[in-house]
Amino acid sequence: MIAEAKPNLGHFAITEIEKLLGDRFKLITQNVDGLHQRSGTQKVYEIHGSKQKVRCSKECSEPFDFPENIKYKEYMEDLTPDDIDDLKCKKCGNWLRPHTLWFDESYNEKYYHFDTAYHIADHTDILFVIGTSGSTALPVNIVETVKIRAKWIVLINPENDTYFDYILKGSKTLHSIQESSSVALPQLKNMMEEMINS
């Protein structure tokens, strides 16, 4: 499903916003699908990892692209002996694992940009929170860090009853856009373009 997914208008708008803002732009994402990179965005910090990468389960090597010679399989289809060999670390022989944060694991800087995400939150003047409900720890902490600093937070979400709506209630620096990202972000990109070019 991830391999067949395509970037939408929101992804492409983010890429255009990055071009407009240059070094002032940073994208922290929970998404593991790689669609931001496929749409052309450069400064992407994947705090939950990437489905396109694997790493040694014993942590002896850095993450690398999923082996190309392993073909997609149906759920009930068995691995071949070659598949099994290719799913083992070439350095130590242990199993490879998806390069994604699992529920029983903790964030860290090495794989999930933990310190970098906090650094970005500490130095941002405006944080856009797009399409997430606030159900995982690091995104919530990023929003709370920006809120404490009394900087602007813009929520873009079709729903208005997320955890973020709850913790930001009454904030004077909050703006909420109850719209999908594929509608709101192209409009936001056009507004930024007009402001920068005027």
Side-chain angles (χ1 to χ4, degrees):
M1 287 172 63
I2 288 173
E4 292 173 359
K6 303 270 190 283
N8 64 32
L9 294 174
H11 293 102
F12 290 115
I14 288 174
T15 299
E16 294 304 311
I17 291 169
E18 179 181 37
K19 290 175 187 172
L20 289 170
L21 297 179
D23 289 338
R24 296 174 291 171
F25 175 92
K26 308 275 187 304
L27 175 64
I28 299 169
T29 184
Q30 295 173 247
N31 297 343
V32 297
D33 54 25
L35 293 177
H36 289 299
Q37 293 91 332
R38 285 171 53 193
S39 69
T41 305
Q42 301 295 310
K43 294 184 201 88
V44 181
Y45 300 90
E46 296 171 307
I47 61 171
H48 289 168
S50 169
K51 279 288 191 190
Q52 286 76 39
K53 295 192 177 295
V54 291
R55 68 178 194 262
C56 175
S57 58
K58 297 296 182 187
E59 311 293 341
C60 82
S61 58
E62 295 298 312
F64 57 92
D65 290 339
F66 190 89
E68 284 184 15
N69 50 330
I70 298 177
K71 302 302 174 206
Y72 294 105
K73 305 219 178 278
E74 295 299 324
Y75 180 69
M76 299 299 290
E77 192 177 352
D78 288 335
L79 295 170
T80 67
D82 286 342
D83 292 337
I84 292 170
D85 188 50
D86 288 333
L87 287 171
K88 292 194 174 172
C89 177
K90 301 300 182 213
K91 192 171 176 182
C92 72
N94 283 293
W95 286 107
L96 298 177
R97 57 156 287 175
H99 178 53
T100 53
L101 183 70
W102 289 342
F103 285 108
D104 61 342
E105 295 178 322
S106 300
Y107 291 103
N108 60 48
E109 176 63 18
K110 181 177 180 181
Y111 295 133
Y112 306 115
H113 309 287
F114 181 82
D115 299 323
T116 300
Y118 274 112
H119 179 78
I120 292 168
D122 275 338
H123 294 87
T124 192
D125 291 321
I126 183 166
L127 175 69
F128 291 89
V129 181
I130 304 165
T132 183
S133 61
S135 58
T136 55
L138 185 53
V140 169
N141 292 340
I142 290 168
V143 169
E144 288 177 339
T145 298
V146 175
K147 179 186 176 189
I148 288 167
R149 294 178 57 244
K151 298 298 182 176
W152 284 97
I153 298 172
V154 179
L155 298 180
I156 299 175
N157 199 318
E159 300 175 25
N160 65 353
D161 59 349
T162 69
Y163 183 68
F164 290 131
D165 292 288
Y166 171 75
I167 65 171
L168 295 170
K169 195 169 189 172
S171 171
K172 294 182 174 139
T173 56
L174 169 67
H175 186 71
S176 185
I177 301 170
Q178 195 175 345
E179 190 61 80
S180 72
S181 61
S182 59
V183 171
L185 289 173
Q187 294 173 356
L188 179 65
K189 188 270 295 182
N190 291 339
M191 288 170 52
M192 288 182 172
E193 212 164 31
E194 286 175 19
M195 290 168 57
I196 288 170
N197 294 331
S198 65

